[in-house]
Amino acid sequence: MDKGLKKIKEVEDMLLNVGTLLMSSGASTGRVRTTVNRIADALGYNIELLITNRSLMLKVIDEETDRFIASLKRTSPHGVNFRVVSGISRMSWKVVEENWNVGQINAEIDRLVALPHYPRFIILSSVALAGSSFCALFGGKGVELVVAFVATFFGLFVRQVSLKKRFNPYVSIFFAAFAASLLSGLSVKLGIGGSPDLAFATSVLFLVPGVPLINSFTDMIDGNILNGITRGIHGLIIAFAIALGLLCAKFLFNI
Amino acid sequence: MEWIAIIEKGFWAGFAALGFAILFNVPQRTLFMIWGMGAIGGLTKFLLLGFEMNIVLCSLAGASFIGILSVYAAHNKQAPPLVFSIPSVIPMVPGAFAYRMMLGCMELAGTTSNSQTYLKTLAETTNNGLKAIFILIALSAGVAIPMLVTRKDTFKRIKSNEEQE
């Protein structure tokens, strides 16, 4: 490979990296397209982009020599990470304003990917707090809030463990919904609190597919209808998995 | 109207938003803003519900308020609008309606069509299901439209264009 092509290849790899990272961290299709375009513009290359939910196809054209490279990269299903989305978006502006080169961009991407998540205990307890807030929003009081807290904590824990053991993502959601509703169902069976039904219904709400559904709508009215439909179906399958988990617990306790 | 109950609900909506923000790993500098936006969205929704408005419209109002705020927050804290808007609208997700619809569907599947309660269950299930679906659409539309109204550009570029003109 000669020197000119090698340079285009570098840009190509970097842009594909940026695009797939954004896509798997929960950015909408329009945002992926704008960000990749912005970086390519700043570096002085023309690009053509095909974005699907699980892969990205990119053609980088050098305007001076008219040579191009086209290649494909698979999007890894990582789960939502807004820190990466926001970091890459900030970076893309710096690329434009401060004329960064490919090496600097790659270093920044490595830094962003290595950024830590919140500590596990904090994630678990704040999502559990969100679970009991849901219960309060639907009219729960006192003991029901505690039940929702414990059930959500346990459910999210089960989800994290089953994702780590590389179960199918939908199956992990089923496990989580089942685990959470088992705990909250127990409170219904034993009659703890005034209206334990509320805790039962709200203990699985931490699994709601908010990001896929909202991104689905954003994509569709943006004109990326195929991506929007894919995301919508993804959200629907998650909703079915949650329903199935609830159902199993309901039949088990016969409530 | 019970003001204290409404304010309390806004407070809880903020915490629900905060939990999801941490689950989605948002940057630390945006956390407080997300709590505030979740609370404001929840307050708007429950305040309008207090005037006995349609729940779909209430959710739309709350979500669009969040959507508009998210565009400003994005500029202020330098993060894309969706980082703020998605965690903030999640407290308004129609979980209870979806749950009741599912229960209704299970009941419908389990009984014969000429039983006495069938029509009543069918009516309730349809009502709950339609509410759940329309609230979901209202939430995503409320969040997405303010972002699109800013003409697909980021807030930053609009600002700098105005300065140039």
Side-chain angles (χ1 to χ4, degrees), chain A residues 26 31 38 80-83 85-86 89-90 93 97 117-118 123 126-127 129-130 133-134 136-138 145 200-201 205-206 208 210-211 213-215 217-218 221-222 243 246-247 250, chain B residues 9 12-13 15-16 19-20 22-29 31 46 78-83 86-87 89-91 93 95-96 99 102-103 106 136-137 140-141 144 148 152 154 156-157:
Chain A
R31 174 160 291 277
R38 188 185 298 149
V80 182
N81 186 348
F82 282 162
R83 202 169 285 201
V85 175
S86 133
S89 167
R90 271 177 131 184
W93 282 108
E97 283 160 7
H117 282 240
Y118 288 99
I123 297 181
S126 61
V127 173
L129 182 65
S133 313
F134 272 124
L137 282 177
F138 290 115
L145 298 191
F200 187 64
L205 281 186
F206 69 101
V208 288
V211 178
L213 288 179
I214 291 173
N215 269 338
F217 193 83
T218 319
I221 49 178
D222 221 10
L246 261 181
L247 225 160
K250 225 172 143 55
Chain B
K9 282 197 168 169
W12 283 115
F15 277 111
F20 274 90
I22 288 176
L23 182 65
F24 296 153
N25 200 27
V26 302
Q28 242 156 29
R29 62 180 188 280
L31 279 177
F46 286 108
Q78 306 219 332
L82 92 166
V83 171
I86 291 183
V89 292
I90 281 185
V93 161
Y99 171 71
M102 207 192 67
L103 288 190
M106 275 156 51
L136 262 184
I137 294 176
S140 4
L148 292 176
K152 251 173 123 182
T154 55
K156 201 165 185 170
R157 183 173 290 166

Coordinates of all heavy atoms in Angstrom, one line a residue, chain A residues 26 31 38 80-83 85-86 89-90 93 97 117-118 123 126-127 129-130 133-134 136-138 145 200-201 205-206 208 210-211 213-215 217-218 221-222 243 246-247 250, chain B residues 9 12-13 15-16 19-20 22-29 31 46 78-83 86-87 89-91 93 95-96 99 102-103 106 136-137 140-141 144 148 152 154 156-157:
Chain A
G26 N -25.8 4.7 21.9 CA -27.1 5.2 22.0 C -27.4 6.6 21.4 O -28.3 7.3 21.8
R31 N -27.4 11.9 14.4 CA -26.3 12.5 15.1 C -25.0 11.8 14.7 O -24.0 12.4 14.5 CB -26.5 12.3 16.6 CG -25.3 12.7 17.4 CD -25.6 12.9 18.9 NE -26.4 14.1 19.0 CZ -25.9 15.3 19.1 NH1 -24.6 15.5 19.0 NH2 -26.7 16.4 19.2
R38 N -18.8 15.9 10.1 CA -18.1 17.1 10.6 C -16.6 16.8 10.7 O -15.8 17.7 10.3 CB -18.7 17.5 12.0 CG -18.2 18.8 12.5 CD -18.7 19.1 13.9 NE -20.2 19.1 13.9 CZ -20.9 18.8 15.0 NH1 -20.3 18.3 16.1 NH2 -22.2 18.9 14.9
V80 N -26.1 1.5 26.5 CA -26.1 3.0 26.5 C -24.9 3.6 27.3 O -24.7 3.1 28.4 CB -27.4 3.5 27.0 CG1 -27.5 5.0 26.9 CG2 -28.6 2.9 26.2
N81 N -24.2 4.5 26.7 CA -23.2 5.2 27.5 C -23.1 6.6 27.0 O -22.4 7.0 26.0 CB -21.9 4.5 27.2 CG -20.8 5.0 28.1 OD1 -20.9 6.1 28.7 ND2 -19.6 4.4 28.1
F82 N -23.8 7.5 27.7 CA -23.9 8.9 27.2 C -22.6 9.7 27.4 O -22.5 10.7 26.9 CB -25.1 9.6 27.9 CG -26.4 9.3 27.4 CD1 -27.6 9.5 28.1 CD2 -26.5 8.7 26.1 CE1 -28.8 9.2 27.5 CE2 -27.7 8.4 25.6 CZ -28.9 8.6 26.3
R83 N -21.8 9.1 28.3 CA -20.5 9.8 28.5 C -19.7 9.8 27.2 O -19.1 10.8 26.8 CB -19.7 9.2 29.6 CG -18.7 10.1 30.2 CD -18.1 9.5 31.5 NE -19.1 9.5 32.6 CZ -18.7 9.5 33.8 NH1 -17.5 9.3 34.2 NH2 -19.6 9.5 34.8
V85 N -21.0 9.5 24.1 CA -21.7 10.3 23.1 C -21.4 11.8 23.3 O -21.0 12.5 22.4 CB -23.3 10.1 23.2 CG1 -24.0 11.1 22.3 CG2 -23.7 8.7 23.0
S86 N -21.4 12.2 24.6 CA -21.2 13.6 24.8 C -19.7 14.0 24.6 O -19.4 15.0 24.0 CB -21.6 13.9 26.2 OG -20.7 14.7 26.9
S89 N -19.0 14.2 20.8 CA -19.6 15.4 20.3 C -18.8 16.6 20.6 O -18.5 17.4 19.7 CB -21.0 15.5 20.9 OG -21.5 16.8 20.6
R90 N -18.3 16.7 21.8 CA -17.4 17.8 22.2 C -16.1 17.8 21.4 O -15.6 18.8 20.9 CB -17.0 17.7 23.6 CG -17.9 18.4 24.6 CD -17.4 18.1 26.0 NE -17.3 19.3 26.7 CZ -16.9 19.3 28.0 NH1 -16.4 18.2 28.5 NH2 -16.8 20.4 28.7
W93 N -16.1 19.1 17.8 CA -16.0 20.6 17.7 C -14.6 21.0 17.8 O -14.1 21.9 17.1 CB -16.9 21.3 18.7 CG -18.3 21.3 18.3 CD1 -19.3 20.6 18.8 CD2 -18.9 22.0 17.2 NE1 -20.5 20.8 18.1 CE2 -20.2 21.6 17.1 CE3 -18.3 22.8 16.2 CZ2 -21.1 22.1 16.1 CZ3 -19.2 23.3 15.2 CH2 -20.5 23.0 15.2
E97 N -12.3 23.3 15.4 CA -11.8 24.6 15.8 C -10.3 24.6 16.0 O -9.7 25.6 15.8 CB -12.5 25.1 17.1 CG -13.9 25.6 16.8 CD -14.8 25.5 18.1 OE1 -14.3 25.3 19.2 OE2 -16.0 25.8 17.9
H117 N -17.0 4.0 34.4 CA -18.5 4.1 34.7 C -18.6 4.6 36.2 O -17.6 4.6 36.9 CB -19.1 2.8 34.5 CG -19.4 2.5 33.1 ND1 -20.6 2.3 32.5 CD2 -18.5 2.3 32.0 CE1 -20.5 2.0 31.3 NE2 -19.3 2.0 30.9
Y118 N -19.8 4.9 36.6 CA -20.1 5.1 38.0 C -19.8 3.8 38.7 O -20.0 2.7 38.2 CB -21.5 5.6 38.2 CG -21.7 7.0 37.7 CD1 -22.3 7.2 36.5 CD2 -21.3 8.1 38.5 CE1 -22.5 8.5 36.0 CE2 -21.5 9.4 38.0 CZ -22.1 9.6 36.8 OH -22.3 10.8 36.3
I123 N -24.5 2.8 41.0 CA -25.5 2.5 39.9 C -26.7 1.7 40.5 O -27.8 2.1 40.3 CB -24.9 1.7 38.8 CG1 -23.7 2.5 38.1 CG2 -25.9 1.3 37.7 CD1 -23.1 1.8 37.0
S126 N -28.8 3.9 43.0 CA -29.6 5.0 42.4 C -30.7 4.5 41.5 O -31.7 5.1 41.5 CB -28.6 6.0 41.7 OG -28.0 5.4 40.6
V127 N -30.4 3.4 40.8 CA -31.5 2.9 40.0 C -32.6 2.3 40.9 O -33.8 2.5 40.6 CB -31.0 1.8 39.0 CG1 -32.2 1.1 38.3 CG2 -30.1 2.4 38.0
L129 N -33.3 3.6 43.8 CA -34.0 4.8 44.2 C -35.0 5.2 43.1 O -36.2 5.6 43.4 CB -33.0 5.9 44.5 CG -33.6 7.2 45.0 CD1 -34.2 6.9 46.4 CD2 -32.6 8.2 45.1
A130 N -34.6 5.1 41.9 CA -35.5 5.5 40.8 C -36.7 4.5 40.8 O -37.8 5.0 40.6 CB -34.8 5.4 39.4
S133 N -39.0 5.7 43.3 CA -39.6 6.9 42.9 C -40.8 6.7 42.0 O -41.8 7.3 42.1 CB -38.6 7.8 42.2 OG -37.4 7.9 42.8
F134 N -40.6 5.7 41.1 CA -41.7 5.3 40.2 C -42.9 4.9 41.0 O -44.0 5.3 40.8 CB -41.3 4.1 39.3 CG -40.7 4.5 38.1 CD1 -39.4 4.0 37.7 CD2 -41.3 5.3 37.2 CE1 -38.8 4.4 36.5 CE2 -40.7 5.7 36.0 CZ -39.5 5.2 35.7
A136 N -43.6 5.8 44.0 CA -44.2 7.0 44.7 C -45.0 7.7 43.6 O -46.1 8.3 44.0 CB -43.1 7.8 45.2
L137 N -44.6 7.8 42.4 CA -45.3 8.5 41.4 C -46.6 7.9 41.1 O -47.6 8.6 40.8 CB -44.5 8.5 40.1 CG -43.3 9.5 40.0 CD1 -42.6 9.4 38.7 CD2 -43.8 10.9 40.1
F138 N -46.7 6.6 41.2 CA -48.0 5.9 40.9 C -48.8 5.8 42.2 O -49.8 5.2 42.2 CB -47.8 4.5 40.3 CG -47.3 4.6 38.9 CD1 -46.0 4.2 38.6 CD2 -48.0 5.2 37.9 CE1 -45.5 4.3 37.3 CE2 -47.6 5.3 36.6 CZ -46.3 4.8 36.3
L145 N -42.6 1.5 48.9 CA -41.4 2.1 48.4 C -40.2 1.3 48.7 O -39.3 1.0 47.8 CB -41.1 3.5 49.0 CG -42.2 4.6 48.7 CD1 -41.7 6.0 49.1 CD2 -42.6 4.6 47.2
F200 N -45.5 -4.2 42.8 CA -45.3 -5.3 41.8 C -45.2 -4.7 40.4 O -44.4 -5.1 39.6 CB -46.5 -6.2 42.0 CG -46.4 -7.5 41.1 CD1 -45.3 -8.4 41.3 CD2 -47.3 -7.7 40.1 CE1 -45.2 -9.5 40.5 CE2 -47.1 -8.8 39.3 CZ -46.1 -9.7 39.5
A201 N -46.1 -3.7 40.1 CA -46.2 -3.2 38.8 C -45.0 -2.3 38.5 O -44.5 -2.2 37.4 CB -47.5 -2.4 38.6
L205 N -40.0 -1.4 36.2 CA -40.0 -0.2 35.3 C -38.6 0.2 34.9 O -38.3 1.0 34.0 CB -40.8 0.9 35.9 CG -42.3 0.8 35.7 CD1 -43.0 2.0 36.2 CD2 -42.6 0.5 34.2
F206 N -37.6 -0.2 35.7 CA -36.2 0.2 35.4 C -35.7 -0.4 34.1 O -34.7 0.0 33.6 CB -35.3 -0.1 36.6 CG -35.0 -1.6 36.7 CD1 -33.9 -2.2 36.2 CD2 -36.0 -2.4 37.3 CE1 -33.7 -3.6 36.4 CE2 -35.8 -3.8 37.5 CZ -34.6 -4.4 37.0
V208 N -37.5 -0.4 31.3 CA -38.2 0.1 30.1 C -37.2 0.6 29.0 O -36.3 1.2 29.3 CB -39.2 1.3 30.4 CG1 -40.4 0.8 31.1 CG2 -38.5 2.4 31.2
G210 N -36.4 2.9 27.1 CA -36.6 4.3 26.8 C -35.7 4.8 25.7 O -36.2 5.5 24.8
V211 N -34.4 4.5 25.7 CA -33.5 4.9 24.6 C -33.9 4.4 23.3 O -34.0 5.2 22.3 CB -32.1 4.6 25.0 CG1 -31.1 5.1 23.9 CG2 -31.7 5.3 26.3
L213 N -36.8 3.4 22.2 CA -38.1 3.9 21.7 C -38.0 5.4 21.3 O -38.5 5.8 20.2 CB -39.2 3.7 22.7 CG -39.6 2.3 22.9 CD1 -40.7 2.2 24.0 CD2 -40.2 1.7 21.6
I214 N -37.3 6.2 22.1 CA -37.2 7.6 21.7 C -36.3 7.8 20.5 O -36.7 8.5 19.6 CB -36.7 8.4 22.9 CG1 -37.8 8.4 24.0 CG2 -36.3 9.8 22.5 CD1 -37.3 9.0 25.3
N215 N -35.2 7.0 20.4 CA -34.4 7.1 19.3 C -35.1 6.6 18.0 O -34.9 7.1 16.9 CB -33.1 6.3 19.4 CG -32.0 7.1 20.0 OD1 -32.0 8.3 19.9 ND2 -31.0 6.4 20.6
F217 N -38.3 7.0 17.3 CA -39.1 8.1 16.8 C -38.3 9.2 16.2 O -38.6 9.7 15.1 CB -40.0 8.6 18.0 CG -41.0 9.5 17.5 CD1 -42.2 9.0 17.1 CD2 -40.9 10.9 17.5 CE1 -43.2 9.8 16.6 CE2 -41.9 11.7 17.0 CZ -43.1 11.2 16.6
T218 N -37.2 9.5 16.9 CA -36.3 10.6 16.3 C -35.8 10.2 14.9 O -35.8 11.0 14.0 CB -35.0 10.8 17.2 OG1 -35.4 10.7 18.6 CG2 -34.4 12.1 16.9
I221 N -38.8 10.4 12.2 CA -39.1 11.7 11.6 C -37.9 12.4 11.0 O -38.1 13.4 10.4 CB -39.8 12.6 12.6 CG1 -39.1 12.7 13.9 CG2 -41.2 12.2 12.9 CD1 -39.8 13.7 14.9
D222 N -36.8 11.8 11.2 CA -35.6 12.4 10.6 C -35.4 11.8 9.2 O -34.5 12.2 8.4 CB -34.4 12.0 11.4 CG -33.4 13.1 11.6 OD1 -33.7 14.2 11.2 OD2 -32.3 12.9 12.1
A243 N -42.6 -8.3 30.0 CA -44.0 -8.8 30.3 C -43.9 -10.3 30.6 O -44.6 -10.8 31.5 CB -44.9 -8.6 29.0
L246 N -42.8 -10.8 34.2 CA -43.9 -10.5 35.1 C -44.9 -11.6 35.1 O -45.3 -12.0 36.2 CB -44.6 -9.2 34.6 CG -44.2 -7.9 35.3 CD1 -45.1 -6.8 34.7 CD2 -44.5 -8.0 36.8
L247 N -45.2 -12.1 33.9 CA -46.2 -13.2 33.8 C -45.8 -14.4 34.6 O -46.6 -15.0 35.3 CB -46.2 -13.5 32.3 CG -47.6 -13.7 31.6 CD1 -47.4 -13.5 30.1 CD2 -48.1 -15.0 31.9
K250 N -46.2 -14.0 38.2 CA -47.6 -13.9 38.5 C -48.2 -15.3 38.6 O -48.9 -15.7 39.5 CB -48.3 -13.1 37.4 CG -49.3 -12.1 38.0 CD -49.8 -11.3 36.9 CE -51.2 -11.0 37.1 NZ -51.5 -10.4 38.4
Chain B
K9 N -44.6 14.9 43.9 CA -44.5 14.1 42.8 C -43.4 14.5 41.8 O -42.6 13.8 41.3 CB -45.8 14.0 42.0 CG -46.7 13.0 42.7 CD -47.9 12.5 41.9 CE -48.5 11.4 42.6 NZ -49.8 11.0 42.0
W12 N -40.1 13.4 43.2 CA -39.9 12.0 43.0 C -39.5 11.8 41.5 O -38.6 10.9 41.2 CB -41.1 11.1 43.3 CG -41.3 10.9 44.8 CD1 -42.3 11.3 45.5 CD2 -40.4 10.1 45.6 NE1 -42.1 10.9 46.8 CE2 -40.9 10.2 46.9 CE3 -39.2 9.4 45.4 CZ2 -40.4 9.6 48.0 CZ3 -38.6 8.8 46.5 CH2 -39.2 8.9 47.8
A13 N -40.2 12.5 40.6 CA -39.8 12.4 39.2 C -38.4 12.7 38.9 O -37.7 12.1 38.1 CB -40.7 13.3 38.3
F15 N -35.9 12.2 41.0 CA -35.1 11.1 41.4 C -35.1 10.0 40.5 O -34.1 9.3 40.2 CB -35.4 10.7 42.8 CG -34.8 11.5 43.9 CD1 -35.5 12.4 44.7 CD2 -33.4 11.5 44.0 CE1 -34.9 13.2 45.6 CE2 -32.8 12.3 45.0 CZ -33.6 13.2 45.8
A16 N -36.3 9.7 39.9 CA -36.4 8.7 38.9 C -35.5 9.0 37.7 O -34.8 8.1 37.2 CB -37.8 8.5 38.4
G19 N -31.8 8.4 38.6 CA -31.4 7.0 38.6 C -31.1 6.5 37.2 O -30.0 5.9 36.9
F20 N -31.9 6.9 36.2 CA -31.7 6.5 34.8 C -30.5 7.2 34.3 O -29.7 6.6 33.5 CB -32.9 6.7 34.0 CG -33.8 5.6 34.0 CD1 -34.8 5.6 35.0 CD2 -33.7 4.5 33.2 CE1 -35.7 4.5 35.1 CE2 -34.6 3.5 33.3 CZ -35.5 3.4 34.2
I22 N -27.8 7.9 35.8 CA -26.6 7.2 36.3 C -26.5 5.9 35.6 O -25.4 5.4 35.2 CB -26.6 7.1 37.8 CG1 -26.4 8.4 38.4 CG2 -25.6 6.1 38.3 CD1 -26.4 8.5 39.9
L23 N -27.6 5.2 35.3 CA -27.6 4.0 34.6 C -27.0 4.2 33.2 O -26.3 3.3 32.7 CB -29.0 3.4 34.5 CG -29.2 2.0 33.8 CD1 -28.4 1.0 34.6 CD2 -30.6 1.7 33.7
F24 N -27.3 5.3 32.6 CA -26.9 5.6 31.2 C -25.5 6.2 31.2 O -25.0 6.7 30.2 CB -27.9 6.5 30.5 CG -29.2 5.9 30.3 CD1 -30.3 6.7 30.1 CD2 -29.3 4.5 30.1 CE1 -31.6 6.1 29.9 CE2 -30.6 3.9 29.9 CZ -31.7 4.7 29.9
N25 N -24.9 6.3 32.4 CA -23.5 6.9 32.5 C -23.3 8.2 31.9 O -22.5 8.5 31.1 CB -22.6 5.9 31.8 CG -21.1 6.0 32.3 OD1 -20.9 6.5 33.4 ND2 -20.2 5.7 31.4
V26 N -24.2 9.2 32.3 CA -24.0 10.6 31.8 C -22.8 11.2 32.5 O -22.4 10.8 33.6 CB -25.3 11.4 32.0 CG1 -26.5 10.8 31.4 CG2 -25.5 11.6 33.5
P27 N -22.2 12.3 31.9 CA -21.1 13.0 32.5 C -21.6 13.6 33.9 O -22.8 14.0 33.9 CB -20.8 14.1 31.5 CG -21.3 13.6 30.2 CD -22.5 12.8 30.5
Q28 N -20.7 13.7 34.8 CA -21.1 14.1 36.1 C -21.7 15.6 36.2 O -22.6 15.9 36.9 CB -19.9 14.1 37.1 CG -20.1 13.1 38.2 CD -18.8 12.6 38.8 OE1 -17.8 13.3 38.7 NE2 -18.8 11.4 39.3
R29 N -21.1 16.4 35.3 CA -21.5 17.8 35.3 C -23.0 18.0 34.9 O -23.6 19.1 35.2 CB -20.6 18.7 34.4 CG -20.7 18.2 32.9 CD -19.8 19.1 32.1 NE -20.1 18.8 30.7 CZ -19.6 17.7 30.0 NH1 -18.8 16.9 30.7 NH2 -19.9 17.5 28.8
L31 N -25.6 15.9 35.9 CA -26.5 15.2 36.8 C -27.5 16.1 37.4 O -28.7 15.8 37.4 CB -25.7 14.5 37.9 CG -25.1 13.2 37.5 CD1 -24.3 12.6 38.7 CD2 -26.1 12.2 37.1
F46 N -48.1 16.7 36.2 CA -49.1 16.5 37.3 C -49.9 17.7 37.5 O -51.0 17.6 37.9 CB -48.3 16.0 38.5 CG -47.9 14.6 38.4 CD1 -46.6 14.3 38.3 CD2 -48.8 13.5 38.4 CE1 -46.1 12.9 38.1 CE2 -48.4 12.2 38.3 CZ -47.1 11.9 38.2
Q78 N -22.5 21.8 27.4 CA -21.8 21.2 26.3 C -21.9 19.7 26.3 O -20.9 19.0 26.5 CB -20.3 21.6 26.5 CG -20.1 23.1 26.6 CD -18.8 23.5 25.9 OE1 -17.9 22.7 25.8 NE2 -18.9 24.7 25.4
A79 N -23.1 19.2 26.1 CA -23.4 17.8 25.9 C -24.6 17.8 24.9 O -25.4 18.7 25.0 CB -23.7 17.1 27.2
P80 N -24.7 16.7 24.1 CA -25.8 16.7 23.2 C -27.2 16.7 23.9 O -27.2 16.2 25.1 CB -25.7 15.3 22.5 CG -24.3 14.9 22.7 CD -23.8 15.6 24.0
P81 N -28.2 17.3 23.3 CA -29.5 17.4 24.0 C -30.1 16.0 24.5 O -30.7 16.0 25.6 CB -30.5 17.9 22.9 CG -29.6 18.5 21.9 CD -28.3 17.9 22.0
L82 N -29.8 14.9 23.8 CA -30.4 13.7 24.2 C -29.9 13.2 25.5 O -30.6 12.4 26.2 CB -30.3 12.6 23.1 CG -29.1 11.6 23.0 CD1 -29.4 10.5 22.1 CD2 -27.8 12.3 22.6
V83 N -28.7 13.6 25.9 CA -28.1 13.2 27.2 C -29.0 13.7 28.3 O -29.2 13.1 29.3 CB -26.7 13.8 27.3 CG1 -26.2 13.6 28.8 CG2 -25.8 13.2 26.3
I86 N -33.5 12.3 27.4 CA -33.9 10.9 27.5 C -34.1 10.5 29.0 O -35.1 10.0 29.4 CB -33.0 9.9 26.7 CG1 -33.3 10.2 25.2 CG2 -33.4 8.5 27.1 CD1 -32.5 9.3 24.3
P87 N -33.1 10.7 29.9 CA -33.3 10.3 31.3 C -34.5 11.1 31.9 O -35.2 10.6 32.7 CB -32.0 10.7 32.0 CG -31.0 10.7 30.9 CD -31.7 11.1 29.7
V89 N -37.3 12.2 30.6 CA -38.7 11.9 30.3 C -39.1 10.5 30.8 O -40.3 10.1 30.8 CB -39.1 11.9 28.8 CG1 -39.1 13.3 28.3 CG2 -38.2 11.0 28.0
I90 N -38.1 9.7 31.2 CA -38.4 8.3 31.5 C -39.4 8.2 32.7 O -40.2 7.3 32.7 CB -37.1 7.5 31.7 CG1 -36.6 7.1 30.3 CG2 -37.3 6.3 32.6 CD1 -35.4 6.3 30.3
P91 N -39.3 9.1 33.7 CA -40.3 9.0 34.8 C -41.8 9.1 34.3 O -42.7 8.7 35.0 CB -40.0 10.2 35.7 CG -38.6 10.6 35.4 CD -38.3 10.1 34.0
V93 N -42.9 7.6 31.6 CA -43.3 6.4 30.9 C -44.5 5.7 31.5 O -44.7 5.6 32.7 CB -42.1 5.4 30.9 CG1 -42.5 4.0 30.5 CG2 -41.0 5.9 29.9
G95 N -45.9 3.2 32.6 CA -45.7 1.8 33.0 C -47.0 1.2 33.6 O -47.3 0.0 33.3
A96 N -47.8 1.9 34.3 CA -49.0 1.4 34.9 C -50.0 1.0 33.9 O -50.6 -0.1 33.9 CB -49.6 2.4 35.9
Y99 N -48.9 -2.1 32.1 CA -49.0 -3.3 32.9 C -50.5 -3.7 33.0 O -50.8 -4.9 32.8 CB -48.6 -2.9 34.4 CG -48.9 -3.9 35.4 CD1 -48.2 -5.1 35.5 CD2 -49.8 -3.6 36.4 CE1 -48.4 -6.0 36.5 CE2 -50.1 -4.5 37.4 CZ -49.4 -5.7 37.5 OH -49.6 -6.5 38.5
M102 N -51.5 -5.4 29.8 CA -51.0 -6.8 29.7 C -51.8 -7.7 30.5 O -52.1 -8.8 30.0 CB -49.5 -6.8 30.2 CG -48.7 -7.8 29.6 SD -47.2 -7.9 30.6 CE -47.8 -8.4 32.1
L103 N -52.1 -7.3 31.7 CA -53.0 -8.1 32.5 C -54.3 -8.4 31.8 O -54.8 -9.5 31.8 CB -53.3 -7.4 33.9 CG -52.2 -7.3 34.9 CD1 -52.7 -6.8 36.2 CD2 -51.6 -8.7 35.1
M106 N -54.0 -10.9 29.1 CA -53.9 -12.3 29.6 C -55.2 -12.8 30.1 O -55.6 -14.0 29.8 CB -52.9 -12.3 30.9 CG -51.5 -12.4 30.5 SD -50.4 -11.8 31.7 CE -51.0 -12.6 33.2
L136 N -46.6 7.1 25.0 CA -45.3 6.8 24.5 C -44.9 7.7 23.3 O -43.9 8.3 23.2 CB -45.1 5.3 24.1 CG -44.5 4.4 25.1 CD1 -44.3 3.0 24.6 CD2 -43.1 5.0 25.5
I137 N -45.9 7.7 22.3 CA -45.7 8.5 21.1 C -45.5 10.0 21.5 O -44.6 10.7 21.0 CB -46.8 8.4 20.1 CG1 -46.8 6.9 19.6 CG2 -46.7 9.3 19.0 CD1 -48.0 6.6 18.7
S140 N -42.0 10.6 23.0 CA -40.9 10.7 22.0 C -41.1 11.9 21.1 O -40.1 12.6 20.7 CB -40.8 9.4 21.2 OG -41.8 8.5 21.4
A141 N -42.3 12.3 20.7 CA -42.5 13.4 19.9 C -42.1 14.7 20.6 O -41.4 15.6 20.1 CB -43.9 13.5 19.4
A144 N -38.4 14.8 20.7 CA -37.7 14.9 19.4 C -37.9 16.2 18.6 O -37.0 16.7 18.0 CB -38.1 13.7 18.5
L148 N -35.5 18.9 16.5 CA -35.6 19.1 15.0 C -35.9 20.5 14.7 O -35.5 21.0 13.6 CB -36.6 18.1 14.5 CG -36.3 16.7 14.5 CD1 -37.4 15.8 14.0 CD2 -35.0 16.4 13.8
K152 N -31.8 20.7 12.9 CA -30.9 19.6 12.8 C -29.4 20.0 13.1 O -28.6 19.2 13.3 CB -30.9 19.1 11.3 CG -31.5 17.7 11.3 CD -31.7 17.3 9.8 CE -31.0 16.0 9.5 NZ -31.1 15.6 8.2
T154 N -26.6 21.8 15.5 CA -26.4 21.9 16.9 C -26.7 23.4 17.3 O -26.6 24.3 16.5 CB -25.1 21.5 17.4 OG1 -24.1 22.3 16.7 CG2 -24.8 20.1 17.2
K156 N -24.9 25.2 19.0 CA -23.7 26.0 18.9 C -23.6 26.7 17.5 O -23.3 27.9 17.5 CB -22.5 25.1 19.0 CG -21.2 25.7 19.4 CD -20.3 24.7 19.9 CE -19.0 25.3 20.4 NZ -18.2 24.4 21.1
R157 N -23.9 26.0 16.5 CA -23.8 26.6 15.1 C -24.8 27.7 14.9 O -24.5 28.7 14.3 CB -23.9 25.5 14.1 CG -23.7 26.1 12.7 CD -23.7 25.0 11.6 NE -22.5 24.2 11.8 CZ -22.3 23.0 11.1 NH1 -23.3 22.5 10.4 NH2 -21.2 22.3 11.3

